[in-house]
Amino acid sequence: MNPTESDGDRLQKVLSRVGFGSRRVCDDLVAEGRVRVNGEVAVPGRRVDVTRDVVEVDGRVVGVLPGLVYYLLNKPVGVVTTANDPDGRPTIVGLVPSEPRVFAVGRLDIATEGLIVLTNDGQLAQLLSHPSHGVEKEYLAEVEGDPGPGALRALREGVEIEPGVVTAPAKVSRRGPGLVRIVVHEGRYRQVRRMCAAVGHPVRRLVRTRIGPVTDVRLGPGAWRALELDEVRALTQAARASETPAPDAR
Ligand code: URA
């Protein structure tokens, strides 16, 4: 079917609705060839199915589904990341509005604090959770003892956290006595705790301070805020940029 005649919302209306300016401005964006739908440059008059089509403006994927929400939460200690906890412990979804229903992107273990994204945007969640999209995650770890140059180097280069599993290179710097900043791309189970334990400095306190381009030092424990559209776009972009080629594409 010719996409200009198919059902759906007019592209400029959709773009205008999600904040790209007036219909006129959005008409121009399309006419200038800056908008793609499912990878193809959109022609004026194009209609889109907002539940299925992937819309990009200037190479950036745009969230077009009405009703999509994106929250940034500062998870406190003692709260679990799962939606339902059989043991009745507090969950992170209990800390944000209950409607629309959202889910966490990735996980933080119960003892870990810090930033986590919750959304009902399955596309973004899938993009960020895919193992080949290693968006940087930054942590501040308070550890036992004071890691010396050897331990820091080992953390940087990769440590064996279980038989046969060595972590990928990480950015690591000492921020003070027993205080280490660690930036990882991977998202292995209790990764930072196991890395620090493997070099002889078990973690006492662990805080995630950044997810890709998203950070917020003013968000207190248990507080949340909506992500700005720019932040959603930057996060999407970071996930795409960090994509590693599939083995058969090398
Ligand atoms: N590393 C950990 O050890 N725990 C987390 O929750 C996240 C990263």
Side-chain angles (χ1 to χ4, degrees), residues 210-230:
R210 182 169 64 83
I211 306 164
V214 175
T215 185
D216 191 333
V217 290
R218 283 173 309 204
L219 206 59
W224 65 273
R225 67 168 173 85
L227 282 179
E228 308 278 334
L229 193 59
D230 275 357

Side-chain angles (χ1 to χ4, degrees), residues 23-185:
R23 300 266 177 92
R24 181 65 206 274
V25 167
C26 294
D27 269 345
D28 289 347
L29 279 179
V30 177
E32 287 162 13
R34 293 166 60 189
V35 185
R36 286 175 181 262
V37 178
N38 303 328
E40 287 182 4
V41 175
V43 293
R46 179 73 153 95
R47 286 176 181 269
V48 289
D49 177 344
V50 291
T51 63
R52 256 193 2 222
D53 292 325
V54 178
V55 177
E56 289 168 74
V57 176
D58 293 335
R60 292 181 174 187
V61 175
V62 175
V64 289
L65 206 54
L68 283 186
V69 295
Y70 305 87
Y71 304 134
L72 181 67
L73 169 74
N74 184 349
K75 180 186 113 48
V77 172
V79 174
V80 295
T81 306
T82 44
N84 292 303
D85 185 57
D87 299 328
R89 293 171 297 187
T91 69
I92 56 169
V93 292
L95 294 173
V96 296
S98 53
E99 286 296 325
R101 286 171 78 93
V102 290
F103 45 88
V105 179
R107 278 175 181 235
L108 288 178
D109 67 62
I110 186 163
T112 299
E113 305 155 60
L115 301 180
I116 187 156
V117 170
L118 294 107
T119 182
N120 56 355
D121 181 346
Q123 214 176 1
L124 180 69
Q126 198 187 13
L127 187 62
L128 283 167
S129 311
H130 197 276
S132 70
H133 298 80
V135 171
E136 282 190 345
K137 269 97 46 186
E138 182 173 321
Y139 298 86
L140 204 52
E142 235 176 77
V143 298
E144 286 180 22
D146 195 11
L152 296 174
R153 190 177 333 109
L155 288 172
R156 262 180 220 125
E157 291 175 357
V159 289
E160 192 168 30
I161 54 172
E162 61 187 82
V165 176
V166 176
T167 55
K171 292 181 197 160
V172 178
S173 55
R174 182 181 172 280
R175 307 310 292 239
L179 197 59
V180 188
R181 171 185 167 270
I182 302 180
V183 182
V184 295
H185 284 273

Side-chain angles (χ1 to χ4, degrees), residues 107-109 112 139 188 190-194 206:
R107 278 175 181 235
L108 288 178
D109 67 62
T112 299
Y139 298 86
R188 296 183 187 278
R190 295 173 76 89
Q191 176 163 344
V192 175
R193 290 176 189 277
R194 292 196 291 162
L206 185 61

